[in-house]
Amino acid sequence: MANRRVIVAGNWKLNKTAAETRSTIMSLRNKLAGVDTRAEVVVFPPFVSLETAVDAARETTVRVGAQNVYWEKSGAFTGEVSAEMLEALGLDYVLLGHSERRAMFGETDETVSRRLAAVLEGRLTPVVCVGEVLQERESGATADVLKRQVEGALKDVAPDHVGRIVVAYEPVWAIGTGKTASPEIANEAHTLIRNTIAVMFGRSAADETSILYGGSVKPENTAALMAESELDGVLVGGASLDAASFAGIVRAAG
Ligand code: PEP
């Protein structure tokens, strides 16, 4: 198996003030002290808590990312932040195209592609989220949807930048519903995503791309998911808000 990065990431969404962010990260660092893990642990707090998160995570192995970024560098774009601003805060990661942004805030494959291009100009690691809704799965459209989303997001990526991209497969029907994809379903979707990347950029680039699974991941289902050959980590929503449960997921990821 290729030597891919293993990542356990927590998407905090619209949760936690700066003070709560600090106490959660402090608690996480205590719970992870002495835990021998191959995984890179990343948290994605809301924008206003990012500076506090970086400070609280200093001198630990915990990394910090933002939940979104705009593609322009500066100018008249009220409410937006640039990749350069996020880098200046000391972040390492940024989420792109989360299904909640696609469903509620007008995100499309085209806007994900523009954000990705801006991020790849700098040094942040982008985590590009893709995934089908229930009706698409039930109608047998999953493969087409994943192919379209991956091709759409990565269409302008230069071959020498592909290695920096992390993809997260997050079936929308599994997000926040308690219905985790079975390890087999997740592995099949990851294989489809990897094959799409292979067609676009070659097999070795695809084999080096880390693909995370997200959707109702908990400490109890992590080990079975991570046992699948095509899963390189997990992106966790609800269960990442509590330090004990998130640390349990890190431990279960091995
Ligand atoms: C997510 O929103 O990225 C997610 C995976 O959420 P949850 O773990 O709560 O399903």
Side-chain angles (χ1 to χ4, degrees), residues 11 13 98 100 170 174-177 214-217 235-239:
N11 173 16
K13 313 188 185 191
H98 190 277
E100 286 155 14
E170 296 210 300
I175 293 183
T177 58
S216 297
V217 173
L235 177 54
V236 189

Side-chain angles (χ1 to χ4, degrees), residues 9-13 95 98-100 129 168-179 213-218 234-241 249:
N11 173 16
W12 289 0
K13 313 188 185 191
L95 289 181
H98 190 277
S99 61
E100 286 155 14
C129 303
Y169 168 60
E170 296 210 300
V172 181
W173 47 270
I175 293 183
T177 58
K179 288 186 198 143
Y213 166 78
S216 297
V217 173
K218 307 175 199 75
V234 285
L235 177 54
V236 189
S240 72
L241 294 173
I249 290 170

Side-chain angles (χ1 to χ4, degrees), residues 19 28 33 40 47 54 57-58 73 75 77 85 131 148 158 172 198-199 215-216 219 232:
L28 188 60
E40 189 155 346
F47 282 127
V54 170
R58 213 174 291 286
K73 290 184 170 50
F77 304 104
M85 291 170 183
R148 191 199 71 225
V172 181
V199 170
S216 297
D232 307 308

